Short mmCIF file of all heavy atoms in Angstrom, two decimals:
data_model
loop_
_atom_site.label_atom_id
_atom_site.label_comp_id
_atom_site.label_asym_id
_atom_site.label_seq_id
_atom_site.Cartn_x
_atom_site.Cartn_y
_atom_site.Cartn_z
N LYS A 14 21.38 11.94 8.34
CA LYS A 14 21.60 10.96 7.28
C LYS A 14 21.72 11.61 5.91
O LYS A 14 22.42 11.14 5.03
CB LYS A 14 20.45 9.95 7.27
CG LYS A 14 20.66 8.81 6.30
CD LYS A 14 19.56 7.80 6.46
CE LYS A 14 19.77 6.62 5.51
NZ LYS A 14 18.74 5.60 5.67
N SER A 24 8.90 29.40 -3.35
CA SER A 24 7.97 29.83 -2.32
C SER A 24 8.28 29.21 -0.97
O SER A 24 7.74 29.63 0.04
CB SER A 24 6.53 29.47 -2.73
OG SER A 24 6.34 28.08 -2.69
N MET A 25 9.15 28.21 -0.94
CA MET A 25 9.51 27.58 0.32
C MET A 25 10.59 28.41 0.99
O MET A 25 11.67 28.60 0.45
CB MET A 25 10.02 26.15 0.07
CG MET A 25 8.99 25.21 -0.53
SD MET A 25 7.65 24.86 0.61
CE MET A 25 8.55 23.91 1.84
N PRO A 30 14.96 18.80 4.23
CA PRO A 30 15.75 17.58 4.03
C PRO A 30 15.24 16.87 2.78
O PRO A 30 14.03 16.73 2.61
CB PRO A 30 15.47 16.76 5.29
CG PRO A 30 14.90 17.72 6.28
CD PRO A 30 14.18 18.75 5.47
N GLU A 105 -9.29 17.71 2.28
CA GLU A 105 -9.66 16.31 2.05
C GLU A 105 -8.57 15.36 2.51
O GLU A 105 -8.85 14.28 3.05
CB GLU A 105 -9.98 16.10 0.57
CG GLU A 105 -11.24 16.83 0.12
CD GLU A 105 -11.55 16.58 -1.35
OE1 GLU A 105 -11.02 15.60 -1.91
OE2 GLU A 105 -12.32 17.36 -1.92
N ASP A 145 10.73 -5.22 -8.83
CA ASP A 145 10.64 -4.84 -10.24
C ASP A 145 11.96 -4.19 -10.65
O ASP A 145 12.92 -4.16 -9.88
CB ASP A 145 9.42 -3.95 -10.51
CG ASP A 145 9.60 -2.51 -10.00
OD1 ASP A 145 10.63 -2.21 -9.36
OD2 ASP A 145 8.70 -1.69 -10.23
N MET A 164 -12.56 -22.31 5.48
CA MET A 164 -11.45 -22.10 6.40
C MET A 164 -10.90 -20.68 6.27
O MET A 164 -10.56 -20.04 7.26
CB MET A 164 -10.34 -23.12 6.11
CG MET A 164 -10.69 -24.54 6.51
SD MET A 164 -10.81 -24.73 8.31
CE MET A 164 -9.08 -24.55 8.76
N VAL A 165 -10.82 -20.20 5.04
CA VAL A 165 -10.24 -18.87 4.80
C VAL A 165 -11.19 -17.76 5.25
O VAL A 165 -10.80 -16.82 5.94
CB VAL A 165 -9.90 -18.68 3.31
CG1 VAL A 165 -9.40 -17.26 3.05
CG2 VAL A 165 -8.84 -19.70 2.88
N PHE A 189 10.90 4.59 1.73
CA PHE A 189 10.40 5.97 1.64
C PHE A 189 11.54 6.96 1.39
O PHE A 189 11.41 8.14 1.67
CB PHE A 189 9.58 6.35 2.88
CG PHE A 189 8.35 5.51 3.03
CD1 PHE A 189 8.33 4.42 3.90
CD2 PHE A 189 7.21 5.78 2.28
CE1 PHE A 189 7.19 3.63 4.02
CE2 PHE A 189 6.07 4.99 2.40
CZ PHE A 189 6.07 3.91 3.28
N ASP A 193 8.80 3.86 -2.60
CA ASP A 193 7.64 4.10 -1.75
C ASP A 193 6.37 3.46 -2.29
O ASP A 193 5.27 3.76 -1.83
CB ASP A 193 7.42 5.60 -1.55
CG ASP A 193 7.00 6.32 -2.83
OD1 ASP A 193 7.30 5.80 -3.94
OD2 ASP A 193 6.38 7.40 -2.75
N VAL A 204 -10.27 -19.87 -9.09
CA VAL A 204 -11.43 -19.16 -8.52
C VAL A 204 -12.58 -19.20 -9.53
O VAL A 204 -12.39 -18.88 -10.70
CB VAL A 204 -11.07 -17.70 -8.19
CG1 VAL A 204 -12.31 -16.97 -7.68
CG2 VAL A 204 -9.95 -17.65 -7.17
N SER A 218 -15.18 -6.97 0.04
CA SER A 218 -15.71 -5.61 0.10
C SER A 218 -15.06 -4.81 1.22
O SER A 218 -14.65 -3.66 1.03
CB SER A 218 -17.23 -5.65 0.31
OG SER A 218 -17.76 -4.35 0.44
#
Side-chain angles (χ1 to χ4, degrees):
K14 186 174 181 179
S24 69
M25 296 293 292
E105 293 181 18
D145 74 356
M164 289 292 290
V165 176
F189 297 99
D193 67 336
V204 176
S218 177

